[in-house]
Amino acid sequence: QVQLVESGGGLVQAGGSLRLSCAASGGTLSTYAVGWVRQAPGKEREFVAAIRWSAGTTYYADYVKGRFTISRDNAKNTVDLQMNNLKLEDTAVYYCAARAWYVSYNTADYNIWGQGTQVTVSS
């Protein structure tokens, strides 16, 4: 069973950038879709971005499109999320999540989760 571990969170000023990384162990991600999901205090988890590993196809929520970029590294078995022009409303715990083959915008469809990493954007 694949396990996921996130890294790269932290505190950043509005307008700044952070890069999150999701490292997989226990297997290859080649048959998975890997996504980033976030949860702000008092809110539901929401889809941020995802990539279908086999095809490299990427998907984004409208509220991050043009600011966030998801990418994969085949050699390292990692998925990164480059976050630029961060806004206060991007503050949340960011989770890496995976499911077999196909991307879903429904966070409940993902069955493998990392522990999460905190991203805090300050004014």
Side-chain angles (χ1 to χ4, degrees):
Q1 175 77 343
V2 168
Q3 294 179 319
L4 304 174
V5 177
E6 303 94 338
S7 61
L11 174 65
V12 64
Q13 285 192 321
S17 299
L18 277 176
R19 189 176 184 90
L20 305 182
S21 187
C22 174
S25 61
T28 176
L29 290 173
S30 61
T31 60
Y32 288 88
V34 181
W36 287 93
V37 173
R38 68 188 185 186
Q39 186 169 22
K43 293 190 176 181
E44 299 287 321
R45 286 185 177 181
E46 62 180 10
F47 174 89
V48 174
I51 186 167
R52 184 181 174 190
W53 189 280
S54 59
T57 316
T58 57
Y59 304 80
Y60 297 93
D62 286 343
Y63 35 82
V64 304
K65 203 171 290 183
R67 300 189 297 122
F68 291 11
T69 303
I70 190 170
S71 61
R72 70 182 187 323
D73 187 316
N74 289 324
K76 295 182 180 179
N77 212 28
T78 58
V79 173
D80 288 356
L81 185 68
Q82 177 66 42
M83 305 185 295
N84 297 330
N85 190 22
L86 283 160
K87 303 177 179 181
L88 297 178
E89 54 264 40
D90 293 319
T91 295
V93 177
Y94 284 70
Y95 298 90
C96 181
R99 67 188 300 267
W101 291 111
Y102 301 106
V103 168
S104 172
Y105 287 94
N106 185 348
T107 61
D109 289 338
Y110 291 82
N111 59 331
I112 301 172
W113 292 81
Q115 83 287 353
T117 187
Q118 177 70 46
V119 171
T120 303
V121 184
S122 65
S123 58

